[in-house]
Amino acid sequence: MNSAYLDLIRIRFLMMLAYRVNYYSGIVIYTINIGAYYFLWEAIFGEQKLLAGFTLAQMTTYVAVSWMARAFYFNNLDREIANEIRDGSVAIQFIRPYNYLIVKLMQGFGEGLFRLILFMGPGLALVCLIFPVKLPTDPGVWAIYFVMLLFSFLINTQINMLVGLFAFFVENNEGMLRMKRVLVDLFSGVIVPISFFPGWLAVTMKWLPFQAITFLPSSVFTGRIAGSEVVRVLGIQVIWFIVLIIPIAWVWRQARTRLFVQGG
Amino acid sequence: MFYWSLAVEYMKNYVKTKLTYRADFWVELLSDLLFQGVNLIFILIVFQHTPTLGGWTEAEVVFVYGYFMVPAGIFGAFFNIWNFSERYIVKGEMDRVLTRPAYNLYQVLLENLDPPSLFGSLVGLVIMVLSWGDLGLAFHLTDVLMMAVFTIGSVMIYGGLFTALTAISFYSDAPTGILPLMYNISNYGRYPVNIYNKIIRFLLTWLLPFAFVGVIPASYFLGRHEAGLSNLALFTPVMGVIVLGIGLLIWNHGVKRYRGAGS
């Protein structure tokens, strides 16, 4: 049974591989993107050496790594789930001998793995050549970063599932899907590191799961969080991963009695 | 006339679907605003840490942002074709469109109307008017005319670029386009282009002219003359015609290559 789930990762990976040309252009666009960010932040820093605890070099690295990480954890599972609920094909999934949500998770993971290897790797290498991005030299930091990246993926996927499953209750949740995407980008710290937020907002963010998606892993990677703090931060991710299982399980149980198929 | 009546019919249809999913309409409106607002939040947060951005004050950068929202809202309402490749190529719906007498792109655009997006334009106008007062800019009647001309030009540029980018799906059979990434690059046309190095400035002005959907036309009103910005503004409609023309050429050529994939 478990090997079936693993196979799903492989299948999705191969599926993505069929369309790989897209990713070569993606790497170029990503480089331009990071370049524009670099000059933007350079202008923002101006004469100042330190902003919200970041040096310009750290900021560049933070931005480059955060967008790369986003390539890995980002997926459209929310939309996939919502569409399957709307066109009714989720009914078939109910009677199959596997857990639908784990299937989705595995497919998302296959997709992320593909982007990690064919997009993140080459993209980051290219960016390092052109811009002053400083990668950590300590292999320990790399190891812990990859663990945290895995949790970024899990937490982001859980949020996607929750929003996707809402289609059971509201019929059409297109608007919600879009809103969620914007909120996650803003509150996870991809666009601006959370330490730049005004006080009250930064405090609020500490109590929400979004910072665990980008801000915490990228902070560890850029060396702003080090030593025993790393364990605490990893703990926050683990806790959110566990806590988020509860509403998903609840919604999934509710959903079984609520399914009504709209056409299709 | 035929095309006009088509638009009316599609509008009616749109209203009907929205009345079915009423709550979603409001969430969509809100999410559209939020989508636009995120970058405004970025500006506001950044200016808490720095007084100027490449010599531009917060009020000026916000003004540029306000201008940008106007064409962006109109663009969002009429060029909402983000999932074109998925829906029309992968699922083969283009077959259906091509068998009908009206111009194919026109049909595709009508099928994907998104009027709530226009609300963003309204908010943009309000931001502009407010910062107009803040900045103490003089007001001439010609400014209204220029605003209209620039807006049309900017929408054409935006539309032409994304039409061209969407048309890529006719040439390469990739399911997830480069559109989302491109969307990020479109953001940079809103910041004072003088902060970028030559390559990126050239890219944003002439290759992917997103600067014409933001800082260039806005600098006409702000009277910012560095690097000939406010003079360049007058080229906005010309650029619009060129970019939209190129976009349509690529699209039309792409449609000829289309082979139904649906089943």
Side-chain angles (χ1 to χ4, degrees):
Chain A
M1 188 63 220
N2 284 331
S3 70
Y5 286 131
L6 290 181
D7 251 1
L8 285 168
I9 302 179
R10 193 180 61 91
I11 292 167
R12 185 57 82 95
F13 189 95
L14 293 176
M15 230 169 95
M16 301 291 290
L17 204 59
Y19 299 114
R20 63 188 169 282
V21 178
N22 222 341
Y23 286 87
Y24 303 142
S25 53
I27 290 168
V28 175
I29 293 169
Y30 166 75
T31 311
I32 298 170
N33 207 354
I34 297 303
Y37 253 121
Y38 169 70
F39 292 108
L40 188 57
W41 279 108
E42 201 183 30
I44 294 166
F45 271 77
E47 301 290 295
Q48 306 170 78
K49 286 269 171 293
L50 214 60
L51 272 192
F54 279 87
T55 64
L56 181 58
Q58 273 179 337
M59 199 60 225
T60 317
T61 312
Y62 179 93
V63 170
V65 166
S66 299
W67 280 98
M68 268 299 142
R70 188 177 179 277
F72 171 66
Y73 68 69
F74 182 87
N75 53 49
N76 280 320
L77 290 187
D78 48 354
R79 184 155 282 126
E80 280 178 35
I81 293 172
N83 283 345
E84 288 187 11
I85 291 171
R86 234 178 317 170
D87 68 18
S89 51
V90 74
I92 306 290
Q93 309 280 356
F94 272 122
I95 58 171
R96 286 191 178 152
Y98 53 52
N99 185 317
Y100 173 65
L101 292 179
I102 297 185
V103 169
K104 283 287 156 217
L105 180 77
M106 291 300 164
Q107 288 178 339
F109 191 67
E111 210 176 307
L113 217 54
F114 170 85
R115 292 210 204 94
L116 181 74
I117 295 167
L118 273 102
F119 184 71
M120 258 182 98
L124 208 54
L126 187 62
V127 165
C128 286
L129 285 178
I130 305 178
F131 302 105
V133 172
K134 250 189 84 210
L135 302 181
T137 46
D138 180 5
V141 174
W142 281 89
I144 196 103
Y145 177 70
F146 275 112
V147 175
M148 294 191 76
L149 201 55
L150 184 66
F151 276 100
S152 305
F153 166 78
L154 289 173
I155 294 169
N156 183 58
T157 304
Q158 284 176 311
I159 293 174
N160 277 352
M161 283 178 176
L162 258 182
V163 179
L165 286 176
F166 252 94
F168 274 119
F169 306 95
V170 289
E171 280 122 67
N172 187 357
N173 59 349
E174 183 58 34
M176 229 160 124
L177 296 182
R178 272 202 258 173
M179 186 120 102
K180 185 230 65 186
R181 183 179 293 188
V182 174
L183 284 180
V184 167
D185 275 351
L186 183 64
F187 291 153
S188 66
V190 175
I191 295 169
V192 209
I194 289 172
S195 39
F196 274 76
F197 285 8
W200 60 274
L201 198 55
V203 171
T204 318
M205 286 305 115
K206 285 207 171 18
W207 293 98
L208 291 173
F210 304 111
Q211 58 158 348
I213 298 175
T214 307
F215 181 62
L216 298 181
S218 294
S219 295
V220 169
F221 192 78
T222 48
R224 294 191 65 250
I225 295 178
S228 59
E229 274 288 276
V230 175
V231 182
R232 190 183 65 87
V233 165
L234 185 61
I236 294 177
Q237 281 193 315
V238 176
I239 289 169
W240 274 114
F241 169 66
I242 295 167
V243 168
L244 283 171
I245 292 175
I246 299 164
I248 293 174
W250 183 78
V251 172
W252 185 237
R253 278 180 69 92
Q254 291 290 309
R256 286 161 183 262
T257 57
R258 292 227 17 149
L259 176 67
F260 82 97
V261 175
Q262 308 170 63
Chain B
M1 203 53 219
F2 166 59
Y3 278 86
W4 174 247
S5 66
L6 264 185
V8 172
E9 286 306 317
Y10 270 107
M11 266 320 260
K12 281 187 196 156
N13 232 333
Y14 174 83
V15 173
K16 279 181 210 158
T17 31
K18 279 301 133 175
L19 287 175
T20 321
Y21 300 117
R22 231 167 289 192
D24 196 59
F25 175 81
W26 295 106
V27 182
E28 212 167 290
L29 195 104
L30 203 67
S31 74
D32 267 341
L33 275 183
L34 204 65
F35 199 56
Q36 302 293 340
V38 164
N39 294 290
L40 185 60
I41 295 173
F42 178 80
I43 295 171
L44 297 180
I45 288 179
V46 155
F47 273 101
Q48 296 210 317
H49 298 269
T50 178
T52 63
L53 188 62
W56 294 53
T57 63
E58 178 170 8
E60 284 174 320
V61 176
V62 169
F63 180 88
V64 173
Y65 193 75
Y67 170 80
F68 159 81
M69 280 183 86
V70 178
I74 299 175
F75 164 80
F78 296 104
F79 286 84
N80 185 26
I81 44 177
W82 302 105
N83 57 355
F84 173 79
S85 150
E86 202 178 305
R87 180 170 163 194
Y88 290 89
I89 308 264
V90 178
K91 292 213 170 122
E93 283 209 40
M94 200 65 195
D95 291 358
R96 175 176 53 81
V97 172
L98 288 176
T99 52
R100 292 174 178 174
Y103 180 49
N104 50 66
L105 179 61
Y106 187 70
Q107 289 183 62
V108 170
L109 295 182
L110 281 184
E111 284 180 8
N112 292 289
L113 281 182
D114 183 35
S117 182
L118 286 174
F119 200 71
S121 300
L122 206 66
V123 175
L125 268 182
V126 172
I127 292 178
M128 273 183 91
V129 169
L130 290 179
S131 6
W132 203 291
D134 270 359
L135 288 160
L137 297 174
F139 180 77
H140 313 283
L141 261 179
T142 49
D143 286 342
V144 178
L145 177 73
M146 289 318 277
M147 182 63 201
V149 172
F150 288 155
T151 306
I152 293 169
S154 293
V155 173
M156 284 166 87
I157 292 171
Y158 226 151
L161 273 171
F162 279 91
T163 304
L165 290 170
T166 308
I168 291 177
S169 40
F170 287 119
Y171 301 90
S172 94
D173 47 359
T176 50
I178 48 173
L179 282 179
L181 274 166
M182 214 40 119
Y183 184 82
N184 283 314
I185 293 182
S186 77
N187 286 346
Y188 303 115
R190 274 174 246 159
Y191 300 105
V193 279
N194 53 304
I195 63 172
Y196 301 121
N197 74 343
K198 278 205 192 88
I199 301 170
I200 294 181
R201 204 183 320 163
F202 183 76
L203 183 92
L204 283 174
T205 316
W206 303 113
L207 295 183
L208 299 166
F210 288 118
F212 280 100
V213 191
V215 68
I216 291 177
S219 63
Y220 171 85
F221 301 111
L222 289 170
R224 307 276 317 208
H225 303 298
E226 56 264 76
L229 274 187
S230 51
N231 292 332
L232 267 183
L234 301 172
F235 285 99
T236 309
V238 182
M239 279 302 272
V241 172
I242 295 172
V243 175
L244 188 61
I246 295 174
L248 289 177
L249 275 179
I250 297 178
W251 175 275
N252 288 336
H253 184 258
V255 169
K256 290 208 190 86
R257 289 178 46 117
Y258 170 76
R259 283 163 288 130
S263 49

